[in-house]
Amino acid sequence: MSADKASSAATGSRVDSVRALQHALYRSAKADPGRRFHALRDKVYRRDVLWRAWVAVRRNNGAPGIDVTTLADVEEYGVDRLLGELAADLKGGRWRPAPARRVFIPKPGTTEQRPLSIPTVRDRIVGAALKIVLEPIFEADFLPCSFGFRPKRSAHDALQVLIDESWQGRRWVVETDIADCFEAIPHEELMRAVEERVCDQGVLRLLRAMLRAGVMQDGRVRRPVTGTPQGGVISPLLANVYLHQLDRAWSEDQHGVLVRYADDVVVMCRSREQAEAALARLTALLGELGLEPKLAKTRIVHLVEGGEGLDFLGFHNRLVRGWTPRSAHLRFLARWPARKAVRHARDRIRSITARSRLLVPVEQIVGELNLFLRGWAGYFRYGNSALLLGQIRNYALHRLALWLSKRGNRRRAWGWGMTQVLLSPNHLGLISLDGIVVPPRPMRAWKVECRR
């Protein structure tokens, strides 16, 4: 057997053993909702679990933390060597997380900036290992109304609920998101939520150490008593564990259908009175958790033909009448990319074809455009998005022609650049987005639609 095949077989064996561990934990948690798990710490530093954690960290391809150690540095140092050291430190109780590096990234389509905490590679591996062990236990408890950062659940599953519920008459919608959710979750209350299922003191100490590690910003370390740092591998799971208290306290019969994607929340109601009661109940429940809805993004929307609609998970959702003679009597919830998403796409295309990149090879520019267009269209194709997908592709074509004109030093010769693009085989390789749209249908799973 060749070295490559042997390595592949070893990796497959590790994945299978980790998957078997996760299935066993999930089944145990599902079979006994009151069980508290006490023998987990030894599973965190298992070599197959740490290897699977490394694979997840490597796939994410993140930036270095405060120790400036990159993923390439780890590979040069030796992955097995590093994992062995981590296993020994975890087993001996010597592992201590370093403060995360705090950076600010722009929110797409806005002037706001989002704080992002970047742990070191070593700490990300430990966080990923903890997530591998803890996630199946809490997944056994999570409710169907929660969609964000969960295995086998996606934003399109959440969007499908909006279509189905509006089709059944729930057309009064409460929309909001939780203000500074990841930064505002109180540590002690979060740990109490974790302890409902986990009583292994070794694991709880690891979690507390990660929460208290703090962030380094402008050369100073801050250790707040709230927040699961956005950017931490395990933070989305911990946020879901904490917000599960909201999900299980919600009464669908009384206050409408709750749809929560991490900190983005929508409630589908049958009347204005129910929507107002739902908003009051939501505000009260968040208050009990030490959280609050973001006022600027909180409102009640009535889905009516010709109405304003709402934005959710990158899509604009609006009630429309059927566009064909056979469907003209029907009203349904359509969706297409929201203005923010379109603005972000145009900004990204402009940055790829910027004047500062005139010396970059044409093949690389086209390759980057295609990579972005595939990803963007891959998400937004599941909607009534044909028109906007065509517009975005045409904008990319326009920007490519303009870039070629500047590269050829042909001022005011955009037409020359467009001619070069249009007369070239396959538009210089720029992909087409025609015919890829999959419109959603009420009461049909979008995954079934996408296979057709």
Side-chain angles (χ1 to χ4, degrees):
M1 183 184 290
S2 69
D4 287 345
K5 287 183 178 177
S7 174
S8 226
T11 300
S13 174
R14 287 168 175 159
V15 170
D16 289 343
S17 62
V18 172
R19 189 178 293 120
L21 168 65
Q22 290 183 304
H23 286 173
L25 290 171
Y26 177 84
R27 286 194 300 268
S28 297
K30 200 71 175 175
D32 185 358
R35 177 176 176 180
R36 298 177 71 212
F37 289 77
H38 65 278
L40 298 175
R41 177 171 165 269
D42 62 318
K43 297 169 179 58
V44 175
Y45 55 75
R46 269 175 40 172
R47 288 300 293 269
D48 55 346
V49 171
L50 287 172
W51 178 265
R52 175 76 173 271
W54 158 253
V55 170
V57 169
R58 187 67 184 89
R59 188 186 301 120
N60 196 45
N61 198 30
I66 62 171
D67 63 353
V68 301
T69 300
T70 65
L71 295 167
D73 292 336
V74 170
E75 290 173 331
E76 184 178 347
Y77 181 77
V79 175
D80 282 332
R81 179 181 174 188
L82 176 68
L83 297 184
E85 293 172 356
L86 274 177
D89 287 346
L90 287 166
K91 185 175 182 179
R94 295 184 299 272
W95 176 80
R96 296 293 183 274
R101 181 166 64 91
R102 172 60 60 89
V103 298
F104 292 88
I105 58 173
K107 289 185 178 182
T110 71
T111 58
E112 296 180 55
Q113 289 192 316
R114 175 184 289 122
L116 189 66
S117 302
I118 306 176
T120 64
V121 176
R122 290 171 58 94
D123 294 347
R124 294 208 295 270
I125 293 171
V126 175
L130 270 169
K131 180 174 181 283
I132 287 169
V133 173
L134 295 179
E135 186 174 60
I137 295 171
F138 290 105
E139 269 295 317
D141 295 335
F142 289 161
L143 298 175
C145 62
S146 169
F147 293 90
F149 306 110
R150 293 184 57 190
K152 299 183 180 180
R153 309 207 99 195
S154 74
H156 290 96
D157 293 316
L159 289 160
Q160 186 65 41
V161 176
L162 270 62
I163 289 177
D164 294 345
E165 296 303 328
S166 67
W167 182 258
Q168 296 185 85
R170 290 188 173 91
R171 293 178 180 172
W172 285 91
V173 184
V174 177
E175 64 164 328
T176 188
D177 69 6
I178 302 169
D180 299 321
C181 178
F182 283 86
E183 299 291 319
I185 295 176
H187 289 173
E188 288 308 313
E189 284 75 3
L190 171 60
M191 290 307 301
R192 275 196 283 273
V194 173
E195 288 168 11
E196 289 184 14
R197 274 302 210 169
V198 177
C199 60
D200 186 314
Q201 292 303 311
V203 168
L204 295 175
R205 278 194 296 271
L206 289 178
L207 287 175
R208 286 194 179 94
M210 297 179 90
L211 292 173
R212 293 171 180 168
V215 295
M216 179 173 284
Q217 182 180 340
D218 300 326
R220 300 181 62 184
V221 177
R222 294 175 53 251
R223 289 188 170 88
V225 296
T226 63
T228 58
Q230 204 162 353
V233 179
I234 200 171
S235 292
L237 172 62
L238 294 179
N240 274 334
V241 169
Y242 192 62
L243 292 174
H244 175 63
Q245 299 172 95
L246 164 67
D247 300 341
R248 69 187 181 191
W250 191 261
S251 169
E252 181 177 307
D253 293 337
Q254 189 174 357
H255 295 115
V257 176
L258 177 71
V259 181
R260 184 177 64 77
Y261 193 93
D263 57 348
D264 286 338
V265 180
V266 163
V267 186
M268 307 292 289
C269 303
R270 293 194 179 276
S271 66
R272 171 177 282 279
E273 292 73 23
Q274 188 181 44
E276 290 172 347
L279 179 55
R281 176 62 172 160
L282 185 62
T283 303
L285 288 174
L286 289 175
E288 292 173 8
L289 297 175
L291 306 171
E292 60 182 7
K294 186 178 289 186
L295 292 179
K297 294 189 176 180
T298 301
R299 60 178 185 150
I300 294 175
V301 179
H302 189 197
L303 297 176
V304 292
E305 188 179 349
E308 56 183 334
L310 75 149
D311 291 350
F312 185 54
L313 301 180
F315 280 94
H316 180 72
N317 300 265
R318 182 175 295 198
L319 200 73
V320 301
R321 190 174 291 274
W323 296 312
T324 65
R326 292 181 61 185
S327 63
H329 65 290
L330 298 175
R331 288 182 298 172
F332 61 92
L333 195 66
R335 66 171 183 254
W336 50 83
R339 288 181 181 178
K340 252 188 215 180
V342 173
R343 190 158 57 242
H344 168 64
R346 294 168 71 93
D347 290 344
R348 179 66 183 130
I349 291 168
R350 274 199 302 273
S351 70
I352 293 172
T353 56
R355 181 185 290 273
S356 60
R357 310 191 74 211
L358 292 179
L359 297 181
V360 178
V362 177
E363 296 79 11
Q364 182 176 335
I365 295 293
V366 173
E368 290 181 24
L369 285 172
N370 284 343
L371 184 64
F372 171 73
L373 289 174
R374 282 194 187 96
W376 198 81
Y379 179 78
F380 288 107
R381 63 178 295 216
Y382 299 107
N384 310 89
S385 310
L387 178 62
L388 281 172
L389 259 59
Q391 290 176 356
I392 289 297
R393 201 268 182 179
N394 287 340
Y395 183 71
L397 201 66
H398 167 94
R399 288 293 305 183
L400 182 59
L402 190 61
W403 181 86
L404 279 173
S405 300
K406 292 175 182 175
R407 179 185 172 89
N409 200 23
R410 296 171 181 266
R411 294 186 178 180
R412 304 180 183 276
W414 173 83
W416 175 86
M418 183 57 80
T419 300
Q420 299 302 305
V421 173
L422 293 177
L423 292 183
S424 69
N426 198 26
H427 295 174
L428 291 180
L430 194 69
I431 62 170
S432 171
L433 303 181
D434 294 337
I436 69 168
V437 172
V438 182
R441 296 287 184 269
M443 313 311 294
R444 295 187 193 176
W446 71 274
K447 290 180 181 179
V448 174
E449 291 293 326
C450 78
R451 287 198 296 266
R452 292 179 58 183

